Amino acid sequence: MAAHCTAGLRHDAVGQETLLNLLLRNYLAYNLYDQAEKFRSKAQKADTWRVPGQYCRYLYYLGTIRAIQLEYTEAKEVLQQASRKAPTCAHGFRVACNKWLILVRLLLGEVPERVEFSAPGMRTPLAPYFELTCAVRSGDLAQFRVVSEKFAAAFRADRTTNLITRLQYNVIRTGLRRINLAYSRISLKDVAEKLALPSAVDAEYICAKAIRDGGIDAVLDHAGGFLATRELTDLYSTNEPQAAFHERIAFCLNLHNEAVKAMRFEPDAHKRALAAANGGKEQMSVEEIARAIEEEEEDDM
């Protein structure tokens, strides 16, 4: 911390960036996410990073902090930036970014494509997360538990156990959405059997929460003990197309802003150009004065 303050007093931008990432890594190693966020928000940072590699590391640490703090949308954005800006030779860093990015996308309700897991050099390290994605996509809670126990050691080594624990509700919600699409009316006891839940009471609580969160469009009948699906409405009559279009526009604008910020200019380049322009004007004025003196001498003669 003292070295970081000293680098700030000496205007050592490279030293500040390096020490900031080292301190963030130390906080995250001890699971001190709140302290890491407080330090990151108050630390002095330049608008433009001098070392691209340090900026990638900073984005990765920021993405992990946001994921733990349940801010999945921002975590997805910064992790995607870190993965794209990382050099090709940084294979381990790109693998770590993709692991966190896959879990964040699953928590947001998205399902990564199979191509992302079969990229060069990604098939073996992302194999546990591929099986986890398949379990989440199918909505099979039993398969999800089997995968979680099978690769528990790998998930602990990647420090992603916390996010995987949160995925359990997403698995249940996906399975419940499939049931909602397949059945117009189904008893809560059958819902509990299909989702591998302990009892129909647990199924009723989960269905109620899914309806409240907007995960499924259905009606819960407590007296009759069943779940009834509402009639499907036209998707284009809702605000979902507008929200999707807005998300794409925001992504393009953010990408443009990041590209502008990434452009590097030489320090004091504008001052040298201004000095050269002023020097040319002064030189022209001197020449004009000399020419005027010569014309006056010719007139006198």
Side-chain angles (χ1 to χ4, degrees):
M1 192 71 71
H4 182 266
C5 295
T6 304
L9 294 174
R10 293 178 179 178
H11 301 286
D12 183 7
V14 178
Q16 276 185 293
E17 295 171 4
T18 305
L19 292 169
L20 173 63
N21 286 329
L22 290 175
L23 290 169
L24 289 177
R25 185 181 68 175
N26 186 63
Y27 280 127
L28 298 182
Y30 290 98
N31 296 326
L32 302 175
Y33 293 95
D34 293 336
Q35 289 85 337
E37 173 58 21
K38 291 179 181 178
F39 169 70
R40 186 207 64 81
S41 61
K42 296 181 180 179
Q44 183 179 359
K45 299 181 292 294
D47 295 335
T48 304
W49 287 66
R50 298 292 182 88
V51 183
Q54 295 296 338
Y55 184 53
C56 292
R57 291 179 60 189
Y58 171 76
L59 291 175
Y60 170 71
Y61 294 144
L62 178 59
T64 57
I65 293 172
R66 290 291 181 262
I68 295 297
Q69 293 178 340
L70 306 179
E71 299 178 7
Y72 300 130
T73 303
E74 185 177 355
K76 174 188 172 183
E77 294 177 358
V78 294
L79 287 172
Q80 283 180 339
Q81 291 182 21
S83 179
R84 289 168 181 163
K85 292 179 181 292
T88 309
C89 58
H91 178 67
F93 178 80
R94 293 173 62 245
V95 169
C97 284
N98 286 328
K99 289 178 180 179
W100 281 81
L101 183 58
I102 288 169
L103 294 179
V104 168
R105 292 180 63 184
L106 289 175
L107 288 168
L108 285 172
E110 303 177 5
V111 179
E113 297 292 337
R114 185 183 293 267
V115 181
E116 301 179 14
F117 296 95
S118 59
M122 296 289 180
R123 184 184 298 272
T124 302
L126 295 183
Y129 296 89
F130 175 70
E131 295 192 20
L132 192 70
T133 302
C134 293
V136 175
R137 184 176 184 177
S138 62
D140 190 346
L141 187 60
Q143 182 183 358
F144 175 78
R145 291 172 179 171
V146 170
V147 174
S148 300
E149 295 176 358
K150 179 180 178 181
F151 299 103
F155 295 147
R156 282 195 299 268
D158 296 336
R159 308 176 69 87
T160 56
T161 308
N162 192 351
L163 298 183
I164 293 172
T165 304
R166 302 177 190 175
L167 274 176
Q168 183 172 354
Y169 175 70
N170 290 59
V171 177
I172 296 175
R173 187 173 61 180
T174 303
L176 190 59
R177 190 181 297 114
R178 288 177 175 270
I179 293 173
N180 185 39
L181 294 174
Y183 297 91
S184 59
R185 178 173 174 176
I186 185 173
S187 65
L188 295 175
K189 182 178 179 181
D190 294 337
V191 172
E193 292 179 358
K194 291 181 177 297
L195 296 179
L197 297 175
S199 62
V201 178
D202 294 335
E204 183 178 1
Y205 290 150
I206 291 175
C207 291
K209 187 176 187 304
I211 294 173
R212 185 193 64 183
D213 296 341
I216 59 174
D217 190 10
V219 178
L220 190 63
D221 191 338
H222 176 73
F226 63 86
L227 180 71
T229 304
R230 292 179 180 176
E231 295 183 1
L232 297 178
T233 58
D234 185 12
L235 180 64
Y236 291 97
S237 63
T238 63
N239 293 329
E240 290 190 14
Q242 180 182 358
F245 189 59
H246 173 72
E247 183 180 357
R248 295 179 182 179
I249 293 177
F251 172 76
C252 294
L253 292 177
N254 291 333
L255 183 62
H256 175 265
N257 293 335
E258 291 294 331
V260 172
K261 291 180 181 179
M263 296 176 64
R264 301 182 61 181
F265 301 93
E266 297 182 5
D268 300 334
H270 64 287
K271 294 182 180 180
R272 291 198 299 270
L274 183 61
N278 292 335
K281 291 181 179 179
E282 293 177 357
Q283 185 177 0
M284 291 177 61
S285 61
V286 171
E287 292 177 356
E288 291 177 358
I289 293 173
R291 189 179 301 108
I293 292 173
E294 290 179 359
E295 291 178 355
E296 290 179 358
E297 290 179 354
E298 291 178 358
D299 293 341
D300 294 339
M301 292 177 65

